[in-house]
Amino acid sequence: MKMHKLRSLPARFYRNVVKKVKKFFTYIGGLAVLLVKTVFWIFSPRLRKWQVLEQMDRIGVASFPIIFLISLFTGMVLALQSAYQMQKVSAEMYIASLVALSLTRELGPVLTALIVAGRCGAAITAQLGTMQVTEQVDALETLSANPIQYLVVPRFLALLVMVPLLTIFADFFGIVGGYLIGVGKLDITHAMYVKMTWDPLKLKDVTTGLIKSVTFAVVICLISCFEGFNTKAGAEGVGRATTSAVVRSFILIIVFDCFLTALFYFVMR
């Protein structure tokens, strides 16, 4: 490599870092603007309730079978893995507590959010992205219909309701999965398993999980809709936007989960 190219490497590295940082803050700013506009249009008297119900059916009812299967088998696997270690110290009775706390605090909200982001968030981006590249979004504006009010608000409200509701189902079916292994495989009595599930479980464990699920719902909606509205380059662009929405939703869900866990269990003890 020539000497002048070696000398220009630090400058190019600096320009790339500045470009990435600027792009990151532009993206975060775009999400913040979309959130403010969405909250503003929620209180519009022209809110179409039938659209919200339609989105709740697509997001919540259609996702229920997947949530049921994933959470049930997650609870069973969690009980089996716990038993592998706890049987060595004759502490099988604590498997019920571990399953219940793990599901309500972490696994229930996170697994539900990841499933909804992968299934419904991708569908939202693909739908809005297709409307964007075929200029249907522009057509809405020419008809004096605000795209955020018409397209984003129903999905936002539906996710705010259905993600916490699906999280409650995930917590319940995960605990049932742990119960099936604990009572059926590990010979823990029904009374003991129920007692060791409910005694350590506090209201804070459930409420913090639901607060997380509301935060994840906001993340999924904002990223999916933002990527959809900024889709370019035809069908190929729709594919790229959908992939980007899912990946960024997954990353932000894990980041917010880490932040909220530290906030609830280490800062606000």
Side-chain angles (χ1 to χ4, degrees), residues 76-95 98 181 186 188:
M76 295 172 75
V77 170
L78 196 58
L80 287 170
Q81 288 286 4
S82 305
Y84 181 74
Q85 293 297 329
M86 291 188 175
Q87 282 180 334
K88 297 177 181 177
V89 292
S90 301
E92 295 94 332
M93 69 175 68
Y94 295 106
I95 292 173
L98 190 148
I181 294 297
L186 305 175
I188 302 173

Side-chain angles (χ1 to χ4, degrees), residues 21-205:
V21 171
K22 185 179 178 181
K23 189 176 179 180
F24 171 77
F25 282 104
T26 302
Y27 189 83
I28 296 298
L31 293 179
V33 171
L34 180 59
L35 176 61
V36 172
K37 289 182 178 178
T38 303
V39 172
F40 173 79
W41 283 108
I42 285 176
F43 301 100
S44 168
R46 297 169 59 186
L47 177 65
R48 295 171 174 81
K49 296 181 178 60
W50 64 269
Q51 281 187 320
V52 178
L53 294 175
E54 183 181 355
Q55 292 299 324
M56 289 171 68
D57 178 62
R58 290 181 181 177
I59 294 169
V61 178
S63 299
F64 179 79
I66 305 173
I67 297 291
F68 165 72
L69 286 174
I70 296 292
S71 57
L72 182 70
F73 282 99
T74 298
M76 295 172 75
V77 170
L78 196 58
L80 287 170
Q81 288 286 4
S82 305
Y84 181 74
Q85 293 297 329
M86 291 188 175
Q87 282 180 334
K88 297 177 181 177
V89 292
S90 301
E92 295 94 332
M93 69 175 68
Y94 295 106
I95 292 173
S97 306
L98 190 148
V99 170
L101 293 176
S102 300
L103 282 163
T104 53
R105 290 182 181 183
E106 292 295 334
L107 292 176
V110 172
L111 284 176
T112 301
L114 294 179
I115 292 168
V116 172
R119 183 186 173 279
C120 304
I124 290 172
T125 303
Q127 186 179 14
L128 298 189
T130 303
M131 293 180 70
Q132 180 67 31
V133 297
T134 55
E135 300 181 350
Q136 294 181 56
V137 176
D138 295 333
L140 282 175
E141 293 179 340
T142 60
L143 295 172
S144 301
N146 188 287
I148 293 177
Q149 179 196 16
Y150 190 78
L151 298 172
V152 179
V153 169
R155 291 166 174 79
F156 185 82
L157 293 176
L159 282 165
L160 279 185
V161 174
M162 298 313 296
V163 174
L165 194 58
L166 289 172
T167 299
I168 294 173
F169 283 122
D171 293 345
F172 174 75
F173 289 119
I175 290 173
V176 170
Y179 172 87
L180 293 177
I181 294 297
V183 176
K185 172 75 175 172
L186 305 175
D187 297 328
I188 302 173
T189 64
H190 165 78
M192 178 60 73
Y193 198 94
V194 172
K195 175 179 171 57
M196 295 305 293
T197 295
W198 291 112
D199 281 356
L201 200 60
K202 308 297 182 187
L203 182 61
K204 179 182 177 181
D205 302 319

